[in-house]
Amino acid sequence: MTWLSDLGATSPVVAAPMAGGPTTPALVRGAAGAGSLAFLAGGYLSAEALGEQLASVGVVTGPYGVNLFAPNPVPLEPVAYAAYRELIRAEAERYDVSLPLEPVADDDAWQDKVDVLLEHPAPVVSFTFGIPGAPARAALRSAGCLLVQTVTSVEEAREASEAGFDGLVVQASAAGGHSGTLTPSAIPADRPLSDLVAGVRAAVDLPVLGAGGIGSRDDVHAVVAAGAEGAVVGTLLLLADEAGTSETHRAGLLDHTRETAVMRAWTGRPARGLRNAFSDAYDASAPSGYPALHHLTRPIRRAAAAAGDVERVNLWAGTGFRAARRAPVAEILRGLA
Ligand SMILES: Cc1cc2nc3c(=O)[nH]c(=O)nc-3n(C[C@H](O)[C@H](O)[C@H](O)COP(=O)(O)O)c2cc1C
């Protein structure tokens, strides 16, 4: 466990970044207090909000990191966008919300957030969705940040290794939320986490953290036995007292009759979540297109979450969601280490 312990972590269990609400500074503080490396989720936040969250965890005694979405857009033809918009229009009418007429493009305020991190460097900065360009990597490294890349295959691990990262998060398809895949127009292969970790370790000489589907202490043990320095958990923390998970999302997670699937119905990028009426109705017709579909479905997701409508909100969850429970984050993490 050298790499994690050098950072000051005493546990092999890492708290994943979870953008969109679940990760809060309190969750990171609680996890770091339990000896875990814990990540703030910079995705979707404004640069200003990221700065505030950094200031809020700046007082933690444990190790922490920040995760960013590195730009890797999937462009979408206006005709395909319009067809999907038309398909889901009835859901918008149900909540009397309007959907963007044209595909919205943005880069999640990438450069502004890098600038915030250059001013307030976190010990670790991790990236998902894409590999950031060399200038951003060089600047963050000179600011003192260790750089970690999320990969979902041996080929992506090689690509990241050639770009000179300090470590990898190897994410299996079992993981909740968006896949970090570098080729988001394809659905990532469904390879078991331990198998993927072993494959990556055989191919590249970098410290690896394994993510995806961890539900128990035995799962942590298995990923470490496969060659990872630690196991990253996300879904298991979604019901933690300190998590900002919405009540609607929590209700979905507590319904153990549900099943997960990898879907692009919500954002146009593969993501694992609980199946519900919306994903069952539209996922088969959803085109690849990120962030256009993210912006398209957002008004529906917001309205449905506020109304407690579990059938019309994205319920991100990994395959281990039935093991998630309500407790302080430190208790959940200690039970796994
Ligand atoms: C609600 C939710 C939001 C997530 N947001 C992010 C994110 O912002 N950045 C990221 O790199 N990974 C994100 N992930 C993926 C996690 O980092 C991690 O890979 C995953 O949770 C591990 O699998 P598990 O959910 O089965 O534990 C998210 C996962 C969930 C469940």
Side-chain angles (χ1 to χ4, degrees):
M1 228 196 50
T2 53
W3 190 78
L4 281 176
S5 42
D6 285 352
L7 277 165
T10 54
S11 165
V13 186
V14 173
M18 294 188 285
T23 292
T24 60
L27 189 80
V28 169
R29 281 197 301 270
S36 285
L37 171 65
F39 283 89
L40 277 177
Y44 306 135
L45 294 181
S46 65
E48 194 185 10
L50 175 62
E52 285 163 13
Q53 293 209 358
L54 272 166
S56 173
V57 294
V59 291
V60 298
T61 46
Y64 71 96
V66 173
N67 173 259
L68 296 181
F69 296 166
N72 183 10
V74 187
L76 179 57
E77 290 300 324
V79 175
Y81 177 85
Y84 192 59
R85 183 180 184 276
E86 180 57 25
L87 195 66
I88 66 170
R89 195 164 52 98
E91 308 296 345
E93 282 166 2
R94 177 191 294 267
Y95 283 111
D96 198 19
V97 292
S98 53
L99 306 179
L101 261 175
E102 303 287 334
V104 175
D106 68 37
D107 68 355
D108 198 43
W110 166 252
Q111 190 57 49
D112 291 348
K113 292 185 205 179
V114 170
D115 290 345
V116 166
L117 283 169
L118 293 177
E119 212 170 306
H120 308 283
V124 184
V125 180
S126 75
F127 307 96
T128 191
F129 294 2
I131 295 183
R137 299 197 309 262
L140 287 165
R141 174 156 290 124
S142 342
C145 307
L146 284 180
L147 304 186
V148 171
Q149 180 67 42
T150 298
V151 296
T152 63
S153 68
V154 173
E155 297 71 48
E156 291 180 0
R158 285 206 183 95
E159 204 181 320
S161 168
E162 278 157 24
F165 283 90
D166 300 298
L168 302 176
V169 169
V170 173
Q171 187 196 46
S173 152
H178 280 118
S179 165
T181 178
L182 303 175
T183 51
S185 48
I187 298 288
D190 190 2
R191 195 169 167 187
L193 176 59
S194 292
D195 187 39
L196 185 59
V197 164
V200 167
R201 290 284 288 134
V204 304
D205 192 18
L206 282 178
V208 158
L209 303 174
I214 304 275
S216 66
R217 194 187 285 238
D218 285 351
D219 292 344
V220 173
H221 186 80
V223 72
V224 170
E229 290 212 6
V232 181
V233 298
T235 299
L236 278 191
L237 308 182
L238 284 171
L239 297 177
D241 297 344
E242 299 92 336
T245 314
S246 73
E247 288 308 318
T248 311
H249 194 172
R250 284 175 190 259
L253 292 161
L254 288 165
D255 176 0
H256 289 182
T257 65
R258 289 186 188 269
E259 298 294 336
T260 69
V262 175
M263 49 187 76
R264 46 164 81 99
W266 296 108
T267 66
R269 199 179 210 288
R272 187 176 289 276
L274 299 174
R275 288 175 49 193
N276 59 10
F278 187 98
S279 69
D280 284 354
Y282 306 116
D283 193 51
S285 319
S288 277
Y290 183 89
L293 262 59
H294 160 72
H295 291 292
L296 173 66
T297 67
R298 184 153 62 176
I300 299 170
R301 288 184 272 134
R302 280 215 174 135
D309 179 357
V310 181
E311 300 301 335
R312 283 167 197 83
V313 75
N314 55 317
L315 302 168
W316 295 156
T319 56
F321 77 95
R322 293 185 190 89
R325 61 196 179 90
R326 286 175 278 202
V329 62
E331 196 180 307
I332 297 170
L333 290 169
R334 285 200 190 101
L336 288 169

